[in-house]
Amino acid sequence: MKLGSSDISAVKIGSTDVSKVYIGSTEVWSSYTPLLDTYTGAAAAYSLRKLKSGVTNAIEVRRASDNTTQDIGFVNNELDVTSLESFCSGTNGFVTTWYDQSGNGNDATQTTASDQPQIVSGGSVYQLNSKPTIIAERDQNWSFSAISTNLYSLFITYYKTATGNQQIIGSGNTNYMWLDYQSKQYIAEAAFITISSNFNINTQYTYNAIASSTSGAEIWRNNISLGTRSAYSGNDITEFPYKTLRTANLHLQEMIIYTSDQSSNRSGIETNINDFYSIY
Amino acid sequence: MQGYTFQNEQQAIKARQQAADYKGYPIRPNDTTIYWVNYSYSELDGFYYIRYVDGLEAVLGTPTDITITPHEEI
């Protein structure tokens, strides 16, 4: 059994903090350091766990019963499910704002009620792999201030409920990227990497990419490279998840984007995400 | 899909506001939620539309079947 960060707050030898505890060769406890404390400089970061020390709120939720809203924060670095289920007791809850934890204030918002992704159904928080998750139905998304994709490193967890072409992030009415399109994975409009195996439905993945419009891109799924490509023409992104032509519901827990090359940190960030969500 | 079509953006904006008023959005002055439904524009079909959601017929009447032509995928 592995203990969580809430079971033991700290382990010290003398006055020195210990980050991991083993019994034999089995890790039974590790301390929790928010991802962005270690891997700084994200352009935007949305998550249902705390990604940066000092961040107080994860989401703003609208409850269906009376349309009032409430900010939901964290307990022991994870979403405060108790407060959320109390606020949404017996009703549904929708995420009006997914707060940006990067410190840049680029919150993802949805001003239209019918387009707001859902996190609570009948008073119970949706769960994926024993962690809270947001479900964005096909016409639901959030918008944020434009982020350039001429140079970016993106990390996302997602799970789709239907086959077909599922756009993840996009911009405007016609530009799209991250189109899980048959054997292709788009990293910008008209720029793709050919992948050897498609994403399965009803399966959670981590997915990341490092892309430069001038020198090319590489993408990874569950920390395995899916391929590389050459230079491309980048677009700004403003929507997550992109909804035009999308047919599946998406289960979302985290999306972090840097407008910098995080090649040297990619494996560490990926490991941090998987350690928390236990995806592969 | 079921929905409502409009020949110009002004009509779509008016319908969006009628729906928001019916629901009473925004509930409070600074609420994030200000609309019930929003409109989209179909470039290849040349019209604006609002997708039907449960209850919308109380404001905008009986929805019709509408077909949106997607952009050709790459």
Side-chain angles (χ1 to χ4, degrees), chain A residues 160-201:
Chain A
K160 64 178 185 177
T161 61
T163 57
N165 312 323
Q166 312 308 334
Q167 298 174 79
I168 307 303
I169 298 176
S171 176
N173 208 29
T174 58
N175 299 327
Y176 50 82
M177 55 186 297
W178 303 108
L179 178 62
D180 180 10
Y181 181 54
Q182 298 176 9
S183 62
K184 301 170 184 173
Q185 188 70 37
Y186 281 76
I187 52 94
E189 186 175 10
F192 61 85
I193 288 170
T194 301
I195 58 179
S196 58
S197 61
N198 294 354
F199 286 71
N200 296 322
I201 65 168

Side-chain angles (χ1 to χ4, degrees), chain A residues 24-256:
Chain A
S25 60
T26 303
E27 181 186 312
V28 295
W29 177 84
S30 60
S31 61
Y32 182 84
T33 302
L35 187 152
L36 295 181
D37 288 5
T38 304
Y39 305 106
T40 60
Y46 311 100
S47 182
L48 297 177
R49 62 171 172 153
K50 182 178 286 190
L51 292 176
K52 189 175 186 178
S53 296
V55 171
T56 55
N57 290 316
I59 52 177
E60 181 193 72
V61 173
R62 177 181 62 84
R63 64 184 178 198
S65 56
D66 62 1
N67 289 312
T68 59
T69 59
Q70 181 170 300
D71 285 337
I72 302 296
F74 308 96
V75 171
N76 294 322
N77 303 304
E78 301 193 28
L79 190 71
D80 184 354
V81 171
T82 300
S83 293
L84 178 53
E85 291 187 338
S86 175
F87 175 64
C88 295
S89 178
T91 189
N92 297 333
F94 300 88
V95 180
T96 57
T97 301
W98 202 350
Y99 290 110
D100 176 16
Q101 297 190 42
S102 73
N104 293 320
N106 195 358
D107 301 331
T109 61
Q110 178 50 264
T111 59
T112 301
S114 65
D115 293 347
Q116 290 164 348
Q118 187 171 354
I119 190 166
V120 179
S121 176
S124 297
V125 171
Y126 285 132
Q127 300 271 332
L128 178 61
N129 205 13
S130 301
K131 301 287 187 187
T133 190
I134 300 169
I135 298 180
E137 295 187 356
R138 55 174 297 174
D139 294 312
Q140 297 175 335
N141 70 346
W142 304 272
S143 298
F144 47 79
S145 298
I147 296 173
S148 169
T149 61
N150 284 319
L151 174 63
Y152 68 90
S153 304
L154 183 130
F155 301 85
I156 188 171
T157 65
Y158 85 90
Y159 167 114
K160 64 178 185 177
T161 61
T163 57
N165 312 323
Q166 312 308 334
Q167 298 174 79
I168 307 303
I169 298 176
S171 176
N173 208 29
T174 58
N175 299 327
Y176 50 82
M177 55 186 297
W178 303 108
L179 178 62
D180 180 10
Y181 181 54
Q182 298 176 9
S183 62
K184 301 170 184 173
Q185 188 70 37
Y186 281 76
I187 52 94
E189 186 175 10
F192 61 85
I193 288 170
T194 301
I195 58 179
S196 58
S197 61
N198 294 354
F199 286 71
N200 296 322
I201 65 168
N202 300 330
T203 302
Q204 188 180 21
Y205 291 104
T206 68
Y207 179 62
N208 53 79
I210 295 179
S212 162
S213 61
T214 56
S215 60
E218 183 169 5
I219 57 177
W220 292 261
R221 179 172 62 203
N222 290 356
N223 212 20
I224 297 171
S225 177
L226 296 178
T228 61
R229 66 153 289 122
S230 56
Y232 61 90
S233 178
N235 308 111
D236 286 353
I237 55 172
T238 60
E239 294 178 45
F240 169 65
Y242 199 56
K243 65 181 183 181
T244 304
L245 302 179
R246 180 156 58 83
T247 58
N249 298 341
L250 298 179
H251 297 225
L252 304 165
Q253 294 168 317
E254 189 161 294
M255 191 277 273
I256 304 168

Side-chain angles (χ1 to χ4, degrees), chain A residues 60 62 67 69 96-97 109-116 139 165 173-174 176 181 184 186 190 245, chain B residues 16 23 25 27-28 31-38 40-43 51 53 70-74:
Chain A
E60 181 193 72
R62 177 181 62 84
N67 289 312
T69 59
T96 57
T97 301
T109 61
Q110 178 50 264
T111 59
T112 301
S114 65
D115 293 347
Q116 290 164 348
D139 294 312
N165 312 323
N173 208 29
T174 58
Y176 50 82
Y181 181 54
K184 301 170 184 173
Y186 281 76
L245 302 179
Chain B
R16 179 179 66 176
K23 282 285 192 179
Y25 291 124
I27 303 299
R28 297 175 298 190
D31 271 358
T32 305
T33 307
I34 54 177
Y35 301 118
W36 178 16
V37 292
N38 205 356
S40 300
Y41 180 63
S42 176
E43 287 191 354
R51 188 185 298 269
V53 297
H71 284 267
E72 184 177 351
E73 293 180 347
I74 302 166

